Amino acid sequence: MSQREIEIYGTNIEDIRIRPYEHHTKYYETDQMGIIHHSNYIKWMEEARMDWMKQIGLSYKEMEAMEIISPVLSISCEYHSMVHFDEVIVIEIRIVKYNGVKLEVEYRMTDKETGELRTTGTSSHCFLNRAGRPISLKRSYPELDTKFFEFADGDKGCEK
């Protein structure tokens, strides 16, 4: 495999089943009030995004080896109900926009036991080379572009 190639698993999109990411909350993530501190949700969003990418065959580590980085341009989070220590949060993600240069992801976090909506959020990303210049995956890395495009608009979002 050359440096510009990445191994893509599940070449038939119909064969790929995305499972939601689950996060078991830790005591150290709580604040003085005994609830999960708001800053942790952003970390969980990144964990879920990295897990999703790995499941569709796009390891972020492999992308970095190809000298592609994907910084966060913006991120938002809405808190609907409190999360406490020792709960399991299910994080479903959906690609809502993708054009080869930018990517927008939606997140939905629910309590695994009750199904209660805890948090929703979005993050926006772009693709850069190591020099910090924007790149188009569509032009430079069509094999990566295909994977993101196949999952855009939530067509193959996380199964419930």
Side-chain angles (χ1 to χ4, degrees):
M1 188 169 12
S2 76
Q3 187 175 356
R4 289 185 47 87
E5 293 177 348
I6 188 168
E7 188 172 351
I8 304 295
Y9 299 101
T11 54
N12 182 356
I13 189 169
E14 301 304 318
D15 294 337
I16 299 175
R17 296 279 185 233
I18 304 299
R19 61 170 168 48
Y21 179 73
E22 293 186 5
H23 180 82
H24 191 167
T25 61
K26 314 292 186 280
Y27 183 76
Y28 68 81
E29 294 174 315
T30 61
D31 61 16
Q32 269 188 321
M33 296 178 287
I35 59 173
I36 299 299
H37 190 269
H38 66 275
S39 65
N40 289 293
Y41 297 83
I42 304 301
K43 295 173 188 173
W44 300 350
M45 289 162 65
E46 182 173 321
E47 290 172 10
R49 191 173 61 256
M50 294 298 107
D51 180 69
W52 178 86
M53 288 177 65
K54 189 174 183 179
Q55 287 187 65
I56 68 166
L58 294 175
S59 159
Y60 195 80
K61 185 175 182 174
E62 290 177 79
M63 284 180 58
E64 284 187 332
M66 297 167 68
E67 299 192 352
I68 302 169
I69 57 174
S70 183
V72 174
L73 298 173
S74 66
I75 198 155
S76 68
C77 205
E78 286 190 42
Y79 306 99
H80 300 276
S81 61
M82 291 182 270
V83 177
H84 299 87
F85 164 62
D86 204 30
E87 292 180 344
V88 176
I89 301 303
V90 176
I91 306 171
E92 298 173 276
I93 77 165
R94 190 169 76 100
I95 305 302
V96 291
K97 291 182 186 174
Y98 172 74
N99 66 8
V101 178
K102 289 186 179 179
L103 171 73
E104 187 173 315
V105 183
E106 279 184 354
Y107 306 84
R108 179 178 166 80
M109 301 181 205
T110 55
D111 183 283
K112 183 175 183 176
E113 187 176 316
T114 67
E116 182 179 358
L117 179 63
R118 301 297 192 173
T119 309
T120 55
T122 62
S123 63
S124 176
H125 310 264
C126 66
F127 299 97
L128 305 176
N129 63 21
R130 279 284 174 203
R133 293 202 158 83
I135 59 172
S136 167
L137 294 184
K138 195 175 294 191
R139 271 185 255 138
S140 303
Y141 300 92
E143 69 279 12
L144 301 182
D145 175 70
T146 299
K147 279 297 183 187
F148 280 112
F149 182 76
E150 287 174 339
F151 286 88
D153 297 320
D155 291 338
K156 295 290 285 185
C158 293
E159 294 181 329
K160 287 191 174 193

